[in-house]
Amino acid sequence: MTLDDAIRRRRSVRGFLPAEVPEATLREVFALAQWAPSNCNIQPWLPHVVSGARLQALRRALVGAAQASEPFAPDWPADGSYPGVYRDRQVDAARRLYGAMGVAREDRAGREAAYWRNHAAFDAPHAVFVFMLEPFDAREATDIGMWAQTLMLALTSRGIASCAQGALALYAPIVRRHLGLDERHRLMFGIAFGYEDAAVAANAARTGRVALDEAVRFHRD
Ligand SMILES: Cc1cc2nc3c(=O)[nH]c(=O)nc-3n(C[C@H](O)[C@H](O)[C@H](O)COP(=O)(O)O)c2cc1C
């Protein structure tokens, strides 16, 4: 697969087969992602890859918290509301996702049920929880975004699907507790990954992008 193919083929997958990714492949993709650039090469990402019984226990705790309507406790504000054109794009992505799932816009219960799948990391066999140490901030967060896309492209090129999930950071204290981490570890997001289950309706969703000239300003004189 060429790099262009991997960039175009990567998409958010929200339904996985139970099969785990072989340990050697896991190590290979995370070793590759280490080559992401960062300010002054500080490499501020702190990924915790969770699989097997540990992931099952964490998944149960996150879903349990959501089902009990425990208040979210993210390390950064995350109310999910965007203004103007950003709202339009958000609505378009949601329309495509729920459309693929056959959930109508006014079907509140259906949308909620679909949303809750987030807390189960869509039943993926692996999830990586990505932390940043206090007092790092926006500058280091940009490094971590670059790392995450590098990782997801490395996964894609090996036929492994993924979904970055801000939702996996909504109960940060629970994740820290399960991984034995202190408060200085601030949870940014998680990425569910594994092999795609093509039978899951959500996986038929495709997002679009704004046109190049709407997105990018080219300056010369
Ligand atoms: C940092 C980050 C957080 C995200 N959080 C979620 C999430 O919580 N749940 C979800 O279903 N998708 C989540 N997504 C996936 C986006 O919805 C998706 O990337 C976007 O709609 C574009 O679609 P594509 O990834 O299929 O190209 C997240 C993506 C990023 C980069």
Side-chain angles (χ1 to χ4, degrees), residues 10-12 14 93 97 118 122 152 163-168 189 207 209:
R10 187 220 53 81
R11 61 190 167 78
S12 295
R14 299 177 177 90
L97 177 60
N118 266 285
F122 303 112
M152 290 192 288
C163 185
Q165 292 185 259
L168 285 179
F189 54 86
T207 52
R209 294 296 188 270

Side-chain angles (χ1 to χ4, degrees), residues 119-140:
H119 296 291
F122 303 112
D123 284 334
H126 309 279
V128 52
F129 292 83
V130 186
F131 296 86
M132 180 165 86
L133 273 191
E134 220 173 50
F136 288 156
D137 205 335
R139 185 196 300 267
E140 295 78 18

Side-chain angles (χ1 to χ4, degrees), residues 7-14 82 89-90 92-94 97-98 114-115 117-118 122 145 148-149 152 162-170 188-191 205-209:
I7 292 169
R8 287 185 191 280
R9 281 192 205 178
R10 187 220 53 81
R11 61 190 167 78
S12 295
V13 162
R14 299 177 177 90
Y82 296 98
R89 294 174 191 170
Q90 179 184 28
D92 178 64
L97 177 60
Y98 292 124
Y115 170 75
R117 301 280 307 132
N118 266 285
F122 303 112
Q149 171 71 337
M152 290 192 288
S162 61
C163 185
Q165 292 185 259
L168 285 179
L170 292 174
M188 304 186 72
F189 54 86
I191 304 176
R206 297 290 183 276
T207 52
R209 294 296 188 270

Side-chain angles (χ1 to χ4, degrees), residues 210-221:
V210 299
L212 175 67
D213 292 314
E214 198 182 324
V216 184
R217 307 286 177 272
F218 295 95
H219 300 269
R220 195 176 299 275
D221 300 318

